[in-house]
Amino acid sequence: SIDHQKEVIEGINDEIESLTTEQDILLEQMDDLNAELINVMTSIDMLADEITQKELDIKVIQQEYEAAKTVEEQQREAMKVQVKMMYEGGKTTWFSQILQSNSFSDILNNLTYTESVLDYNNHMLEKYESAKNHVHDLWDELEAEKKNLQNQKKDLEDQKKYCDELMAQLKAESDNYDALIGQAQKKAKEAKAVLQSAKNAGYTDAY
């Protein structure tokens, strides 16, 4: 009957409205997820830039460390040569100067001078060692900071992977809603055609 057909159409329209409402909620979730994905990808890009800069900083500090290490080694070698010159003889050694001294006071002066030279060289060596160690500490800090940035980037990449998978799942659900709504709209169209035919038949019968 015409009334029954109207009820069928009304039921289909209610189904379409319900499906559309559910799909709208799903689309809102997809919009929120997309915004989150954009934030995650932006953060990943920023961290990648920071890591690149950190690697450049590490290269610089490596060069500074090698330079400090070279200075320390040069000082160490210079001290070896100087000690060798002082203790192995020759006219310029402190031992020769002692033999050539005219008094005990001269001997003490020569010994004091030699000791002060050695003390100074030891002090400089310690200074260079300290500078080298300080640079190495900075290097260690930069490496730790780089590692931390890499860990953050890895966490965000894992988060992006999860979001991508969830987005694919939501997209599939949305596509399914499109199919269901399309089927319901087709049924509604067919039901309306049947109703129209029934109305036309009733109109014809009336005459």
Side-chain angles (χ1 to χ4, degrees):
S1 69
I2 291 176
D3 289 340
H4 171 71
Q5 204 60 32
K6 285 182 178 179
E7 288 176 3
V8 170
I9 293 171
E10 187 176 338
I12 295 172
N13 286 335
D14 287 344
E15 181 186 356
I16 291 172
E17 184 178 353
S18 176
L19 288 169
T20 302
T21 299
E22 290 174 17
Q23 187 182 37
D24 286 343
I25 294 171
L26 188 66
L27 291 172
E28 285 180 11
Q29 292 176 342
M30 290 174 70
D31 286 341
D32 291 342
L33 185 59
N34 190 57
E36 184 180 347
L37 263 170
I38 291 172
N39 287 334
V40 169
M41 288 187 291
T42 300
S43 297
I44 288 173
D45 289 341
M46 289 174 63
L47 282 171
D49 290 341
E50 286 186 54
I51 290 170
T52 299
Q53 182 58 52
K54 198 66 67 176
E55 287 171 343
L56 292 174
D57 293 342
I58 288 171
K59 284 183 180 178
V60 171
I61 209 75
Q62 282 176 329
Q63 292 170 353
E64 291 180 7
Y65 175 76
E66 290 302 323
K69 186 178 175 183
T70 299
V71 170
E72 181 208 4
E73 288 172 352
Q74 288 173 345
Q75 175 67 10
R76 198 179 295 278
E77 289 302 313
M79 285 179 65
K80 287 180 182 178
V81 172
Q82 195 168 45
V83 170
K84 185 177 180 181
M85 287 176 63
M86 284 181 171
Y87 289 99
E88 284 190 356
K91 291 183 179 179
T92 58
T93 65
W94 69 270
F95 186 66
S96 299
Q97 290 171 1
I98 290 174
L99 292 177
Q100 295 167 10
S101 298
N102 296 321
S103 67
F104 184 68
S105 176
D106 288 340
I107 293 174
L108 288 178
N109 287 335
N110 286 328
L111 288 172
T112 301
Y113 169 75
T114 300
E115 186 179 355
S116 66
V117 169
L118 291 175
D119 285 345
Y120 173 77
N121 285 335
N122 279 324
H123 170 71
M124 293 306 295
L125 180 60
E126 289 173 1
K127 182 179 177 182
Y128 294 141
E129 284 179 343
S130 176
K132 182 195 73 173
N133 292 335
H134 175 66
V135 173
H136 199 281
D137 288 342
L138 292 176
W139 183 359
D140 287 341
E141 286 178 18
L142 288 174
E143 289 287 0
E145 289 169 4
K146 177 187 169 185
K147 184 70 176 174
N148 182 46
L149 290 171
Q150 288 175 326
N151 289 338
Q152 290 181 47
K153 183 168 176 280
K154 176 67 168 57
D155 289 342
L156 286 173
E157 286 169 343
D158 290 342
Q159 186 178 344
K160 180 182 178 298
K161 183 180 178 183
Y162 169 78
C163 289
D164 285 336
E165 291 171 352
L166 181 57
M167 181 65 83
Q169 180 183 332
L170 293 176
K171 177 71 166 57
E173 289 180 25
S174 179
D175 290 344
N176 186 54
Y177 274 114
D178 284 336
L180 292 174
I181 291 170
Q183 290 170 5
Q185 288 172 336
K186 184 180 178 182
K187 285 196 296 183
K189 185 177 180 181
E190 291 170 351
K192 286 176 183 177
V194 171
L195 175 62
Q196 189 61 46
S197 295
K199 285 182 177 179
N200 290 340
Y203 179 76
T204 303
D205 291 341
Y207 288 88

